[in-house]
Amino acid sequence: MKRFRVLTKFLLFMLSAVLVLAGCSKESSSGKQEDSGKGEPYEVSMAYITFTKIDDLPLVQEEINKIVKEKINATIKLVPINGANYQQQTNLMLTGNEKLDLLVTSSFFGYNTQAAKGQLVALDDLLKSNGKDILEVLPEHLLEGNKVNGEIFGIPSMRDWGSYYGYIMRKDIVEKYNIDLSQVKTFTDLDAVFKIVKEKEPALTPIVNTGQGSTVTTVLAGGKFDVLGDSLGAVSFKTEKMVNMFEEPEYVNAVELARKWFQAGYVLKDSATSQEAAANIVKAGKGFGYFSHMKPGFEVQEKGITGHEMVSVKLSDVYSYTDAATGFNLSIARNSQNPEKAMEVINLLYTDKDVMNLLANGIEGKHYEVKPEGVISLPEGVAESNYVFGQWQIGNNFLTYPWEGNDSDYWEQMKQHNDSAIFSPAFGFTFNPDPVKTEVAAAMNVLNQYRVGIETGTLDPDKSLPEFNKKLKDAGLEKIIAEKQKQYDEWKKK
């Protein structure tokens, strides 16, 4: 009897322990355990685009993880991938079994296709359960503009979603030769500037745009078309119809001007094949400037990359395209072993000022110092930072400190800039390429063969442009445009 009482007590003790443990590890609605801050933190791997090696990345990652571990019992593993290899490498990661939780996705890198193929996790339910704070700060039209087949697969970065086009250049050279930028009202007015630089500074190429960024023609034709990610059928701002941009007069004129500049020696000779970012070429002392889409504070941003004081000329209105929503997003990969925790990390990137400033600017006191007026600068005695991060691609940039040279109300200026934008007639439209995927694949091969060469001025447009358009049509471009127009018309009705 005594032995029975002892056994009974032991069984009751074990049952109580089991119940306590069960209470401490409740199942979440998704079937995963909620750790409530207990247990080993889940490591969220995050792939993003980089153009330069960041020496102090491990130090910054360590500081970020002190906060992230405390708040959501997770850590972040930052996975930088060079922009030149980004699409290929992330596609390999998504199609394989490599551990990947978060990645920067983009309409430039096949966001719609990745979503349609099931390589990305639909985020609608996760936003409501693990990302509620994002819904409070992110404008609704950006989320709506990011849907593929009615579902959200990426959270757009909060940055400039309007942009204007222009040319940015070294300020010291402008001042050295008394170049009057007030006389530059149009792209063709830059002829006189390029001529001076070519003659006076033969070691500096006036235009160093390469295939790794905005080509000369991309900028010259900016504001005329919404290219909808792949440029295989673009919406004309003028007619609001789907057109073959490569045959439109605005594009042809831009190509001819790019060719004229190339022949004059104003454009980098290997611009069509160079894998180097334009800003890095200026930093290396080989370039004067480059064309780009711009925003408030662009000169300060580029100074941090090039190491030179920069000055720019604005040559277009402010436009907002569909890629303002789909251009740079954080998505959850289908490979993720814990999508809920990955969404909690995204949630922090839109709400936590400390995390975003670490990611964007590095460690206070080492990579920057805060000035009394609320802007930041390099710490005293530091000539160049060992941490330069492309923050525009990730999270809520409105939480970050503006750099010295910008006003303290920089983000208010950015809001006004965004509000002034002329929106694309196709803003919010996403194309499902499945009905014409064979034609899209064939046409993309043609694009890869011709486009950069034509748009940098390297190829003679009199010969190459007709060849380019013929091969696009042979690949099925007209069928692609018809399908896009059909989907676009249906979208507009809704």
Side-chain angles (χ1 to χ4, degrees):
M1 195 63 155
K2 182 178 179 182
R3 184 183 298 171
F4 177 77
R5 282 198 302 270
V6 170
L7 180 62
T8 302
K9 286 182 179 179
F10 175 75
L11 289 174
L12 286 171
F13 171 79
M14 290 300 296
L15 179 60
S16 299
V18 168
L19 289 172
V20 168
L21 287 172
C24 290
S25 57
K26 296 181 294 182
E27 293 289 316
S28 70
S29 59
S30 63
K32 293 186 180 291
Q33 285 193 346
E34 291 181 356
D35 48 48
S36 301
K38 307 286 185 184
E40 285 297 312
Y42 179 74
E43 183 182 75
V44 176
S45 58
M46 182 170 76
Y48 66 94
I49 307 162
T50 186
F51 294 101
T52 57
K53 184 176 180 293
I54 305 174
D55 294 332
D56 287 350
L57 187 66
L59 296 177
V60 175
Q61 178 177 285
E62 184 180 349
E63 291 301 310
I64 289 172
N65 283 334
K66 289 177 183 176
I67 301 171
V68 175
K69 185 178 179 182
E70 175 68 26
K71 290 203 167 186
I72 61 170
N73 197 33
T75 60
I76 299 176
K77 180 184 179 183
L78 297 169
V79 184
I81 300 174
N82 187 274
N85 309 319
Y86 191 79
Q87 183 169 9
Q88 180 183 20
Q89 196 164 332
T90 51
N91 278 338
L92 287 172
M93 295 169 86
L94 287 168
T95 53
N97 292 317
E98 186 171 346
K99 183 182 182 302
L100 179 64
D101 295 286
L102 296 174
L103 71 157
V104 171
T105 53
S106 171
S107 53
F108 307 113
F109 296 137
Y111 164 72
N112 290 2
T113 304
Q114 291 166 337
K117 283 183 177 179
Q119 294 176 338
L120 308 177
V121 174
L123 306 179
D124 302 72
D125 290 339
L126 284 169
L127 268 168
K128 295 171 186 172
S129 59
N130 299 76
K132 291 177 184 176
D133 298 327
I134 297 169
L135 299 173
E136 297 294 321
V137 296
L138 189 67
E140 187 178 354
H141 70 276
L142 289 183
L143 276 175
E144 286 295 316
N146 226 14
K147 287 185 174 180
V148 177
N149 297 331
E151 293 183 296
I152 298 166
F153 290 90
I155 310 300
S157 62
M158 287 183 67
R159 59 189 194 286
D160 51 309
W161 47 80
S163 58
Y164 56 87
Y165 292 89
Y167 178 80
I168 187 165
M169 67 211 97
R170 281 176 52 175
K171 187 177 181 182
D172 61 332
I173 301 298
V174 171
E175 292 177 344
K176 183 177 179 179
Y177 298 108
N178 296 314
I179 297 172
D180 186 2
L181 296 180
S182 68
Q183 299 303 306
V184 179
K185 308 290 186 186
T186 68
F187 287 104
T188 53
D189 291 339
L190 286 164
D191 276 339
V193 178
F194 298 153
K195 188 172 187 295
I196 292 170
V197 175
K198 176 72 175 172
E199 290 176 356
K200 304 289 188 182
E201 298 282 343
L204 295 179
T205 302
I207 306 169
V208 293
N209 290 79
T210 70
Q212 288 309 305
S214 299
T215 62
V216 178
T217 300
T218 304
V219 173
L220 296 179
K224 311 296 191 303
F225 309 98
D226 188 336
V227 300
L228 303 176
D230 60 14
S231 302
L232 299 173
V235 173
S236 165
F237 271 72
K238 184 169 63 179
T239 66
E240 299 192 7
K241 294 287 185 182
M242 210 70 64
V243 298
N244 174 14
M245 177 180 74
F246 307 115
E247 289 183 321
E248 292 294 296
E250 296 92 340
Y251 183 85
V252 174
N253 292 338
V255 164
E256 289 173 348
L257 184 54
R259 177 63 176 174
K260 174 188 170 185
W261 285 338
F262 185 87
Q263 289 179 311
Y266 299 157
V267 180
L268 204 66
K269 287 181 180 178
D270 64 347
S271 56
T273 56
S274 173
Q275 299 297 304
E276 194 62 81
N280 289 343
I281 298 172
V282 172
K283 182 178 182 178
K286 298 177 181 178
F288 171 59
Y290 42 94
F291 290 100
S292 184
H293 60 276
M294 301 180 182
K295 60 184 179 181
F298 187 69
E299 292 92 343
V300 177
Q301 171 186 297
E302 298 305 282
K303 176 190 173 184
I305 303 171
T306 65
H308 292 282
E309 291 278 351
M310 303 295 280
V311 62
S312 67
V313 285
K314 177 182 177 182
L315 298 170
S316 81
D317 291 323
V318 179
Y319 295 97
S320 192
Y321 307 96
T322 289
D323 64 20
T326 61
F328 294 99
N329 321 293
L330 262 181
S331 297
I332 299 179
R334 69 164 186 84
N335 315 35
S336 177
Q337 297 165 15
N338 195 334
E340 291 84 358
K341 195 60 68 177
M343 177 55 80
E344 287 178 25
V345 167
I346 301 178
N347 196 63
L348 279 181
L349 294 173
Y350 283 80
T351 57
D352 193 295
K353 186 174 181 179
D354 294 332
V355 170
M356 269 307 294
N357 272 292
L358 277 164
L359 189 68
N361 299 316
I363 300 167
E364 184 177 352
K366 181 175 181 62
H367 301 116
Y368 71 89
E369 60 184 17
V370 183
K371 311 284 274 187
E373 57 270 31
V375 298
I376 59 175
S377 65
L378 290 175
E380 189 175 348
V382 176
E384 186 176 350
S385 177
N386 287 324
Y387 186 81
V388 179
F389 189 90
Q391 69 201 68
W392 35 266
Q393 60 188 298
I394 289 173
N396 181 0
N397 282 243
F398 286 74
L399 294 174
T400 63
Y401 289 113
W403 277 87
E404 190 175 36
N406 294 306
D407 295 329
S408 57
D409 65 344
Y410 171 75
W411 288 113
E412 180 56 38
Q413 293 177 27
M414 181 67 77
K415 181 181 183 302
Q416 292 172 12
H417 164 83
N418 286 337
D419 291 345
S420 74
I422 300 167
F423 276 75
S424 162
F427 192 91
F429 169 69
T430 53
F431 174 57
N432 176 12
D434 283 349
V436 286
K437 60 185 178 184
T438 303
E439 289 80 6
V440 168
M444 287 303 297
N445 287 334
V446 178
L447 279 186
N448 293 336
Q449 181 184 355
Y450 281 91
R451 185 173 184 182
V452 176
I454 290 172
E455 294 193 353
T456 55
T458 308
L459 297 177
D460 181 357
D462 290 342
K463 180 183 177 184
S464 59
L465 200 52
E467 281 181 11
F468 178 44
N469 278 303
K470 182 181 184 303
K471 288 192 177 182
L472 282 174
K473 288 176 183 176
D474 291 345
L477 179 61
E478 290 175 341
K479 186 176 178 182
I480 297 169
I481 291 174
E483 177 62 29
K484 269 191 178 176
Q485 185 70 56
K486 175 187 168 188
Q487 293 185 25
Y488 177 55
D489 290 340
E490 290 173 353
W491 170 79
K492 281 202 295 186
K493 287 177 185 175
K494 293 177 184 177

